[in-house]
Amino acid sequence: MSEELDAVDAKILDLLQRDASLSIAEIAERVGLSSSPAWRRIERLKKAGVILRQVTLLDQDKLGLTFEVFATVKLQLPSRENLDRFETAIAEWPEVVECATVTGAVDYMLRVLTRDMHAYDDFLRDKMLALGLVSDVQSRIVMRVPKRTTSAPLELISTHLSG
């Protein structure tokens, strides 16, 4: 971003992270601005790429997606071509809700959501292992989630924010 975030920007971002359905008028009132300047700030943050998109979070349990797994994946040969092929494939698999390239003995960490253990087994056999690229998958079944947030920790950047 060409210009630094200030304290008002941080407040706006915090509000939007907590509830993206807030109206411009509600946001403006909470940060002490009128609607037009608040709208301009939000548009600037969007254009700068700070705000990527606004989404609705769903309750995965109420949707029947109660089986959650963190899986580490090691490719047989982590060449550029195989990494690209694997990443292209996982982009198409709805079960994979997050994927990160990681350091260490494995190549990827995946967060996978399915209905149950049988659906996860089908996913492993019919999709991941069927690619012919994977040499090892270690699955960690999630028992309980004491914390989950989609919010960036804005307080970690607020030490240099003025206002």
Side-chain angles (χ1 to χ4, degrees):
M1 192 163 164
S2 61
E3 52 189 277
E4 289 293 317
L5 297 176
D6 65 17
V8 175
D9 291 332
K11 288 177 189 173
I12 290 171
L13 292 172
D14 187 53
L15 288 168
L16 288 172
Q17 284 189 127
R18 294 175 194 280
D19 185 356
S21 70
L22 290 172
S23 70
I24 296 292
E26 289 173 301
I27 293 168
E29 181 181 326
R30 292 186 192 185
V31 300
L33 295 174
S34 62
S35 292
S36 292
W39 178 83
R40 282 193 297 274
R41 282 176 179 260
I42 292 168
E43 289 303 306
R44 179 176 51 82
L45 292 165
K46 286 178 181 178
K47 285 180 184 146
V50 174
I51 297 174
L52 297 175
R53 62 185 179 271
Q54 293 173 265
V55 300
T56 299
L57 301 178
L58 306 177
D59 186 320
Q60 64 196 48
D61 291 338
K62 290 182 180 174
L63 295 170
L65 299 171
T66 58
F67 197 76
E68 183 175 355
V69 174
F70 285 96
T72 57
V73 177
K74 182 166 182 49
L75 300 185
Q76 292 173 4
L77 177 64
S79 66
R80 175 72 178 194
E81 179 184 330
N82 287 347
L83 293 168
D84 289 343
R85 281 184 56 213
F86 184 78
E87 291 173 16
T88 298
I90 61 162
E92 300 298 317
W93 298 337
E95 299 91 344
V96 178
V97 296
E98 287 183 63
C99 173
T101 305
V102 295
T103 61
V106 299
D107 299 306
Y108 294 97
M109 173 72 73
L110 308 180
R111 181 171 160 245
V112 181
L113 290 179
T114 64
R115 292 180 317 281
D116 54 33
M117 187 179 302
H118 300 292
Y120 180 67
D121 184 56
D122 291 343
F123 164 76
L124 283 178
R125 292 170 184 266
D126 300 339
K127 292 183 178 177
M128 191 171 325
L129 297 176
L131 275 178
L133 297 173
V134 175
S135 68
D136 186 47
V137 178
Q138 297 290 317
S139 301
R140 305 290 185 264
I141 298 168
V142 173
M143 304 296 290
R144 189 169 58 90
V145 181
K147 179 180 180 181
R148 174 170 287 145
T149 184
T150 59
S151 297
L154 296 175
E155 60 275 4
L156 298 181
I157 64 164
S158 66
T159 56
H160 71 276
L161 299 177
S162 60

